[in-house]
Amino acid sequence: MRKRSASYRRRGPDRMSALARGIDGVASAVQRRLRAHPSTSVVAAAAVPVVVGLTLARKRIGLHPAATLTIACGVPLGAAV
């Protein structure tokens, strides 16, 4: 019996929508890139405490609210990577 490809086994026999296929393709590309460069994960993990500190000290430093929002988005991103 012939073995199915890894992408077929992950996806299953149902058809995916074009949007879902596109999102899956982008996610796969990002994961391949991260596995190829493990230092990216180390840098992201090391940046989490810095981002948390900046978020907590935003009023003392006088950061603009839009900058605070942008910086605060780094915490989940760094934790996910």
Side-chain angles (χ1 to χ4, degrees):
M1 185 170 165
R2 187 168 178 240
K3 191 173 180 182
R4 300 279 186 178
S5 68
S7 60
Y8 181 86
R9 289 193 311 268
R10 272 194 307 270
R11 186 181 61 223
D14 337 14
R15 290 271 180 189
M16 293 175 65
S17 69
L19 178 63
R21 265 194 319 271
I23 291 172
D24 191 37
V26 170
S28 300
V30 168
Q31 287 300 321
R32 277 194 308 274
R33 184 69 100 155
L34 287 174
R35 274 189 246 116
H37 303 287
S39 61
T40 307
S41 299
V42 173
V43 170
V48 170
V50 174
V51 171
V52 170
L54 279 173
T55 305
L56 292 175
R58 69 187 183 275
K59 288 185 181 176
R60 274 183 259 143
I61 327 176
L63 281 175
H64 190 273
T68 304
L69 178 64
T70 306
I71 290 172
C73 291
V75 174
L77 181 63
V81 171

